Amino acid sequence: MGIKRQHWALAAVPLALALLAATGCESTPGAQAKPAAAPSTPAARVCAKPAAGPAKAPAGAVTVDPAVVNDLAEKTKSSPPGTTFWLRPGKHRLDPDRYAQVIPKEGNRYLGAPSAVLDGRKKNQYAFGGTARNVTIRYLTVQRFVAPRDEGVVNHDSADEWVIEHATIQHNSGAGLMAGARQQVRASCLRDNGQYGMNAYKATGRISGLVVEGNEIVGNNTDDWEQRRKGCGCTGGIKFWAVNGADVRGNWVHDNRGTGLWADTNNNDFRIEDNVLEENDGAALIYETSYNAVIRKNTIRRNNWVEGRKYADHDDNFPFATIYLSESGGEPRIRARTDKIEIYRNVLENNWNGITLWENADRFCNSPANTSSGDCTLLVKSTDRCAQPAIATAPLYADCRWKTQRVDIHGNRFVLDKSVLDCTVKCDRMAVLANYGTYPDWSPYQGERVAEAITHKQHNRWHDNVYLGPWKFVAHDPSRILNSGQWQGAPYQQDAGSTFRAGDGG
């Protein structure tokens, strides 16, 4: 799974239009756009001072002694479902066997006293596993476990209906936390884990009803997996896979190595709102081969400086973005709280580029260029159906593609001061584009078909935004660089009602 974002190529034939962006001050006469207000929700600063758990054992709780090795696992095993466990202050340890872990029973609750820590000592792979539902973990620090790549330390087996609140999950290998259906992760610190803060992946069945609220997600991917496995698409503050229904709100997602939030492969019905996404090395948000989302009232600043600059320094002309929609769009036939992707009332300030809408002409069900190999769209159950001759005609011609369509971008404030970024070129773009289709040889999407569709026919629209600073715009393919007047004019007709003040950003 994942994405290799180097799947772009210029058209094989010369393109007549290669326009340089103007740097003067422009505005739309009579424009009604107003700057979006910053979200009222403050950053969730929970890592520096986590909430303290109960200083005494609650009535009826089983007390767990840190001086007794494996006391937590043994008492969990010997107690009935629905038991509350109170972990005394201190470092709790499991048996030194790598597979030693706590296997909760349905309805168990684990409460940490102040300074209670479950420490894997770089010996144990997993902290909490098993398939029991309705498990709660509160006020507990879980650290120094060594889960393998793509596996997680807490809720290792992606059991359903877990609640993780006021927890600190830090300094682990792999993912600090996995996710199951109807899981709630609130007011927790997911910090400095080797791969992900959370990997929302379930091997069997889909995750639905996921809530991620008020957490601090910082410093993850310490093992730098994108360098260890080039193009793996296997990192992020949080990675979401095939999640159907998620509310991601009020989080502070910052200083992660790579992407902050990354939804990859057949996710649907996301609301991403009131978050602060800042200073992540890569994009703040990637929404890839997925459907139907609302992205609103987020503060997004100083993201993508590391990855964006790296590609620019290698003369890569692709507009690597802070919000990157890759083969993702609205689809009314898939049930959700919206039938489009709506991006509105966000403030984007001094990021490396803005919003890019991208569609890889060569990536579709059954194509060797599909990096999510084996997966098909939510509209086609069998990948094998996406083959000639049927794929060349309706309905499969449309349904075998993840399409970037029905994206509505409005009421946002885009601020760019290139002196803050220490940037002269390739950091100042908004884009809607595709590559020239070439592969495989039986593909019905060769040539400029997809570029024409994403640019002109798939109802992707910017309007009523405010631009401060010297923004440029890319349409159709990477070579078509436009100024605001060209972007607003025929044939693109984007950003009606928007205002452009090129000198105000810096």
Side-chain angles (χ1 to χ4, degrees):
M1 296 182 183
I3 180 171
K4 294 182 179 178
R5 285 176 283 173
Q6 293 83 359
H7 281 293
W8 43 84
L10 299 183
V13 295
L15 296 169
L17 189 59
L19 303 169
L20 297 177
T23 57
C25 178
E26 299 183 45
S27 64
T28 301
Q32 300 299 312
K34 295 181 180 180
S40 58
T41 304
R45 300 177 182 274
V46 298
C47 290
K49 191 175 181 180
K56 295 182 180 180
V62 173
T63 297
V64 182
D65 187 351
V68 179
V69 174
N70 213 40
D71 197 36
L72 179 60
E74 290 297 332
K75 285 179 175 174
T76 295
K77 185 177 180 180
S78 62
S79 300
T83 299
T84 296
F85 300 88
W86 179 70
L87 285 74
R88 289 182 181 273
K91 284 189 177 181
H92 297 256
R93 296 161 293 164
L94 302 174
D95 281 339
D97 181 85
R98 62 187 296 187
Y99 298 113
Q101 58 190 287
V102 181
I103 306 295
K105 296 174 183 176
E106 183 168 353
N108 280 4
R109 300 170 71 238
Y110 297 87
L111 306 179
S115 303
V117 176
L118 180 59
D119 193 336
R121 298 175 291 166
K122 299 295 182 180
K123 297 179 182 294
N124 309 116
Q125 291 190 169
Y126 316 120
F128 293 91
T131 59
R133 295 172 177 262
N134 193 28
V135 172
T136 298
I137 299 170
R138 290 192 175 104
Y139 306 111
L140 181 63
T141 294
V142 180
Q143 66 183 29
R144 299 204 306 160
F145 287 80
V146 285
R149 181 176 66 89
D150 297 333
E151 298 186 41
V153 169
V154 175
N155 197 9
H156 168 257
D157 298 295
S158 301
D160 296 339
E161 300 176 11
W162 284 37
V163 176
I164 293 90
E165 289 183 331
H166 303 293
T168 297
I169 303 175
Q170 64 183 8
H171 309 311
N172 303 288
S173 300
L177 174 64
M178 301 297 284
R182 298 172 299 285
Q183 179 163 297
Q184 300 177 42
V185 184
R186 289 193 167 99
S188 293
C189 171
L190 309 181
R191 173 170 61 188
D192 296 337
N193 295 289
Q195 187 178 8
Y196 306 108
M198 181 170 75
N199 185 14
Y201 171 78
K202 191 175 177 72
T204 57
R206 299 190 73 190
I207 297 171
S208 61
L210 179 63
V211 175
V212 182
E213 182 176 23
N215 305 285
E216 185 172 352
I217 302 152
V218 53
N220 295 289
N221 189 27
T222 58
D223 291 337
D224 200 5
W225 276 100
E226 299 292 342
Q227 290 300 314
R228 295 171 68 175
R229 295 175 63 90
K230 295 287 187 181
C232 72
C234 61
T235 57
I238 299 181
K239 193 75 181 280
F240 304 88
W241 310 86
V243 175
N244 185 31
D247 290 278
V248 183
R249 57 180 174 251
N251 303 286
W252 186 22
V253 185
H254 66 102
D255 294 285
N256 293 285
R257 176 179 281 168
T259 302
L261 302 174
W262 191 342
D264 184 355
T265 311
N266 287 338
N267 296 278
N268 175 52
D269 194 14
F270 272 52
R271 286 190 176 178
I272 301 169
E273 56 191 358
D274 292 318
N275 302 286
V276 176
L277 310 173
E278 62 183 345
E279 297 185 356
N280 297 288
D281 287 358
L285 170 64
I286 297 177
Y287 205 69
E288 178 190 354
T289 54
S290 294
Y291 303 91
N292 301 325
V294 173
I295 302 164
R296 64 185 176 190
K297 297 189 292 182
N298 301 287
T299 296
I300 303 172
R301 56 198 176 204
R302 299 185 299 277
N303 294 280
N304 203 30
W305 287 20
V306 174
E307 292 189 5
R309 192 183 310 276
K310 178 181 70 174
Y311 288 108
D313 288 346
H314 286 84
D315 293 324
D316 194 320
N317 199 37
F318 188 81
F320 288 94
T322 289
I323 297 179
Y324 181 36
L325 270 58
S326 176
E327 296 92 17
S328 292
E331 177 49 73
R333 292 173 290 173
I334 298 173
R335 185 175 180 179
R337 291 167 288 182
T338 182
D339 62 1
K340 57 186 176 180
I341 292 182
E342 191 172 13
I343 304 173
Y344 70 98
R345 293 187 64 191
N346 302 285
V347 176
L348 281 77
E349 182 176 353
N350 291 327
N351 300 285
W352 195 279
N353 292 318
I355 298 173
T356 289
L357 309 187
W358 161 253
E359 197 169 324
N360 181 353
D362 300 330
R363 187 181 190 187
F364 55 91
C365 291
N366 210 25
S367 168
N370 177 23
T371 53
S372 296
S373 57
D375 289 288
C376 201
T377 70
L378 293 181
L379 300 171
V380 180
K381 293 184 178 180
S382 174
T383 300
D384 293 340
R385 294 182 64 204
C386 297
Q388 289 287 7
I391 194 174
T393 60
L396 293 181
Y397 180 84
D399 291 352
C400 288
R401 293 196 63 81
W402 292 274
K403 293 193 292 186
T404 304
Q405 63 178 6
R406 298 173 59 84
V407 180
D408 189 359
I409 301 167
H410 64 94
N412 302 287
R413 180 183 178 94
F414 302 111
V415 180
L416 177 64
D417 184 341
K418 294 170 78 171
S419 68
V420 172
L421 278 72
D422 189 23
C423 158
T424 56
V425 295
K426 298 181 180 178
C427 64
D428 51 5
R429 294 170 292 175
M430 209 71 59
V432 53
L433 76 166
N435 58 321
Y436 190 86
T438 61
Y439 180 76
D441 58 9
W442 53 269
S443 169
Y445 311 110
Q446 295 190 13
E448 298 185 24
R449 293 177 178 86
V450 174
E452 286 293 313
I454 190 175
T455 306
H456 301 297
K457 301 175 183 178
Q458 292 180 182
H459 308 288
N460 297 314
R461 184 175 177 234
W462 279 256
H463 62 97
D464 299 298
N465 298 295
V466 170
Y467 294 86
L468 306 179
W471 287 95
K472 299 182 178 70
F473 303 87
V474 182
H476 189 275
D477 63 76
S479 74
R480 300 193 185 189
I481 304 173
L482 317 173
N483 63 34
S484 59
Q486 294 160 336
W487 176 245
Q488 289 186 299
Y492 308 106
Q493 297 181 322
Q494 292 289 0
D495 264 315
S498 297
T499 60
F500 301 84
R501 297 196 291 272
D504 289 356

